[in-house]
Amino acid sequence: MKKETVLPAKSISGGIDLPGDKSISHRYAMLAGLAEGTSELRHFAAAADCHSTLACMSALGAEVKVEKGVVRVTGRGARGLKASSRALDAENSGTTMRLLSGILAGQEFTSKLTGDASLQKRPMKRVMGPLREMGAQITGRDDNFAPLEIRGAKLKAIDYKIPMASAQVKSAVLLAGLFADGVTSVTEPARTRDHTELALEEFGASIEKSGKTIRIHSLRGTNGGGTLVAKSLDVPGDLSSAVFWIAAASMFPDSHILIANVGLNPTRTAILDVFAAMGAKIKIPGLKSSHGEVIGDLDVQGTSLKGGVIEGDTIPLVIDELPMLAALGPCTEEGIEIRDAAELRVKESDRISALAENLRRMGATVEERPDGLKVAGRSKGKLRGAEIDPRGDHRIAMAFAVAGLAAEGSTVIRDADCAGVSYPTFFEEMKRLAQR
Ligand code: S3P
């Protein structure tokens, strides 16, 4: 368990190349494993989570070759996956477990899916429910938790209204829909990231969207074409990783960073609107489109952030960025308040509790609530360096490392290696970018 010490900085400056987008990499890896032929996935995420997905696809019979940032996956075809001889291990990755459950529900074999201690505490009933309705038999500990056993079946198409805003649940049902006997639809209560829909289209599936409903045609249907085709794809940089640098740069007036090739899919960019509303200086010099995804560079200058309230339908659109926003609270004028975000309690850690505990360790004034937290702004005093317990959660570790840059004294991040779940080079990058 490696500790990292973060010292106060004067500003953040330099050029940044981000790791490939985690959400997109998962989807490309899974669909490439179901496609016919060899897909080339360039700038594939370095994130440990996405390598868990690759390992699972390989255990299911896809051929996976990793060479620097390029991953080549030779798929087995939509009906060609084979039962794995051992339990599939999603490690820390909820996306791997939930999305793969959708695929495994439609296979004519039984699979076991497991994960690390954190993942074994995260709710899986949300995917077990609809996949059972489609005809798969799924058992789990306490009928909700991994390890899961999934007995695949010839699935039947359903129209599913998702009770919570979750891209993972939506994606599990859409992926299962590839193997169902007709057209499967999902309706979301609020918009969530649409990388699954875009990736399915890229790999040749037939999918339609109207409002908050998405329909997917089965590969088993006569006019569905029956196959997915291998693709050569570029993964954009991960905006959720960029947010740590946007936050860090925005804390110091003299900062200036340039972040190249960032994924700017409109279902992910609400965080840029949140920063803009707080007074951040972010410019996007140009946009291009690649495989259905939007990509652009970000030019961020330092400023003084106002703070604000984040709530309602914005929450699912910025769900992974909330730890950074909360940890930024004490460096803003008015503080940060997060409401309607009870989902944060079932992420890689109970993020509301982890944020409140560690912010208090740094001397911040925090009110913890069932569905969020209120963090007082600058008037309550500067953060003090402290020892941070990220509870094994990558985003908590990185959010507090950034907060440490603006604190008095040094901040020690325990178990800092956990950042590798999404951003293995985070601490090296921080040392390079922090000006002292
Ligand atoms: C993700 C969806 C979100 C997000 C997670 C990645 C995805 O989870 O928090 O980090 O790639 O679909 P939920 O669907 O549970 O909100």
Side-chain angles (χ1 to χ4, degrees):
M1 296 251 215
K2 199 170 141 213
K3 283 184 179 179
E4 286 281 353
T5 301
V6 179
L7 300 173
K10 286 208 177 79
S11 65
I12 299 293
S13 289
I16 302 165
D17 283 316
L18 297 168
D21 187 276
K22 189 156 88 72
S23 288
I24 296 174
S25 296
H26 281 300
R27 283 139 173 101
Y28 285 178
M30 288 184 199
L31 292 174
L34 289 171
E36 282 173 10
T38 301
S39 294
E40 185 173 287
L41 312 176
R42 290 178 293 273
H43 198 233
F44 190 86
D49 269 9
C50 298
H51 288 264
S52 306
T53 290
L54 288 175
C56 290
M57 294 315 290
S58 162
L60 289 164
E63 198 182 295
V64 177
K65 288 196 183 131
V66 183
E67 248 172 67
K68 294 196 177 139
V70 182
V71 171
R72 287 186 184 78
V73 180
T74 305
R76 285 295 204 141
R79 286 158 211 83
L81 294 185
K82 300 270 181 294
S84 167
S85 53
R86 54 196 152 78
L88 298 161
D89 191 353
E91 296 175 275
N92 193 242
S93 174
T95 310
T96 306
M97 183 165 284
R98 297 200 178 110
L99 270 59
L100 205 53
S101 295
I103 292 173
L104 296 173
Q107 308 303 312
E108 285 168 21
F109 53 79
T110 299
S111 304
K112 287 204 168 98
L113 251 175
T114 190
D116 69 7
S118 150
L119 188 54
Q120 290 191 32
K121 284 192 219 133
R122 298 182 62 190
M124 293 298 145
K125 190 116 189 194
R126 50 182 68 192
V127 289
M128 294 163 79
L131 297 176
R132 276 175 178 159
E133 254 184 67
M134 295 177 84
Q137 285 179 40
I138 310 184
T139 53
R141 185 175 49 81
D142 294 338
D143 206 30
N144 193 14
F145 302 104
L148 304 179
E149 186 174 285
I150 303 181
R151 186 177 293 249
K154 286 213 160 86
L155 300 179
K156 77 174 194 297
I158 59 169
D159 296 309
Y160 190 63
K161 265 194 158 187
I162 313 178
M164 74 283 290
S166 164
Q168 294 179 354
V169 176
K170 168 177 69 176
S171 303
V173 179
L174 290 175
L175 290 167
L178 288 173
F179 306 99
D181 64 359
V183 180
T184 297
S185 79
V186 289
T187 304
E188 321 188 71
R191 228 166 149 223
T192 64
R193 65 191 72 192
D194 66 355
H195 305 300
T196 302
E197 295 90 304
L198 296 175
L200 278 164
E201 239 163 19
E202 275 304 299
F203 280 87
S206 169
I207 189 158
E208 295 138 27
K209 295 176 218 175
S210 69
K212 288 181 183 143
T213 299
I214 304 118
R215 286 185 188 77
I216 178 137
H217 293 255
S218 168
L219 292 172
R220 284 163 56 188
T222 42
N223 46 15
T227 55
L228 297 178
V229 283
K231 296 291 291 195
S232 173
L233 299 166
D234 293 289
V235 180
D238 198 323
L239 178 58
S240 299
S241 298
V243 159
F244 296 107
W245 307 127
I246 298 172
S250 297
M251 294 190 305
F252 306 101
D254 291 338
S255 300
H256 187 195
I257 54 171
L258 274 168
I259 317 179
N261 282 318
V262 190
L264 296 173
N265 176 314
T267 60
R268 295 281 293 281
T269 51
I271 185 63
L272 299 180
D273 301 331
V274 170
F275 270 108
M278 297 198 303
K281 290 190 191 158
I282 306 174
K283 282 192 240 149
I284 307 175
L287 290 177
K288 59 181 186 196
S289 168
S290 168
H291 317 299
E293 296 286 353
V294 181
I295 303 180
D297 297 341
L298 298 178
D299 177 320
V300 186
Q301 285 195 307
T303 182
S304 163
L305 294 176
K306 203 156 65 167
V309 181
I310 304 115
E311 62 186 337
D313 282 358
T314 304
I315 293 294
L317 299 172
V318 298
I319 191 77
D320 292 339
E321 288 74 59
L322 293 174
M324 185 65 259
L325 286 175
L328 203 53
C331 307
T332 64
E333 274 160 48
E334 296 164 10
I336 297 269
E337 186 175 342
I338 295 170
R339 299 187 190 141
D340 308 317
E343 272 292 306
L344 279 183
R345 294 206 182 266
V346 290
K347 292 291 176 190
E348 287 84 328
S349 68
D350 175 342
R351 285 182 171 162
I352 295 178
S353 154
L355 283 163
E357 179 197 326
N358 287 304
L359 276 163
R360 285 187 188 122
R361 284 185 187 204
M362 295 185 82
T365 303
V366 187
E367 196 186 308
E368 180 178 345
R369 298 173 181 159
D371 68 340
L373 63 177
K374 186 172 178 178
V375 186
R378 270 203 293 270
S379 61
K380 290 283 177 184
K382 208 172 165 176
L383 287 177
R384 295 189 302 269
E387 181 150 339
I388 299 299
D389 176 6
R391 305 193 187 178
D393 184 331
H394 56 131
R395 296 201 200 277
I396 298 293
M398 292 187 280
F400 281 92
V402 169
L405 294 170
E408 246 161 45
S410 57
T411 299
V412 174
I413 312 288
R414 266 189 227 161
D415 182 21
D417 286 349
C418 67
V421 156
S422 62
Y423 202 159
T425 55
F426 175 82
F427 284 98
E428 279 162 51
E429 286 290 87
M430 178 168 267
K431 281 170 201 145
R432 184 176 66 82
L433 297 166
Q435 314 296 313
R436 298 199 159 92

